[in-house]
């Protein structure tokens, strides 16, 4: 199934996003470990709350970073990976 902008992502049960000062980055915690995120992934996952659609997340991040070319495609690609890795669920 391909991701659409109308879908609403949320973190999968058992996953938690937090800022980790020791790592100086956002991390995604889950029962078996931790995923260190780059700045872009952290910015995207901060928007994932189960209320905002993919389209709303794209609009919000595009407003925050107006000079980044291809941002919408990058967000969609990240969401596809996050979904395939079972970090998020889509409804």
């Amino acid at each position: 199934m391909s991701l659409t902008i109308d879908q609403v992502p949320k973190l999968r049960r058992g996953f938690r996003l937090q800022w980790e000062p020791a790592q100086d980055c956002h991390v995604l915690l889950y029962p078996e470990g931790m995923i260190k995120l780059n700045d872009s992934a952290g910015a995207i996952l901060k928007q994932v709350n189960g209320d905002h659609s993919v389209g709303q997340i794209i609009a919000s991040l595009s407003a925050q970073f107006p000079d980044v070319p291809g941002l919408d495609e990058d967000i969609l690609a990240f969401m596809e990976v996050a979904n395939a890795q079972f970090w998020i669920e889509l409804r």
Side-chain angles (χ1 to χ4, degrees), residues 21-67:
Q23 302 283 336
D24 193 31
C25 67
H26 281 96
V27 296
L28 191 57
L29 301 173
Y30 60 104
E32 297 84 26
M34 174 183 81
I35 301 160
K36 186 176 176 180
L37 302 169
N38 65 25
D39 291 341
S40 299
I44 295 168
L45 285 180
K46 280 179 19 182
Q47 301 281 322
V48 172
N49 62 8
D51 292 326
H52 298 118
S53 70
V54 173
Q56 290 169 315
I57 292 169
I58 289 171
S60 174
L61 291 172
S62 293
Q64 289 179 45
F65 305 101
D67 298 327

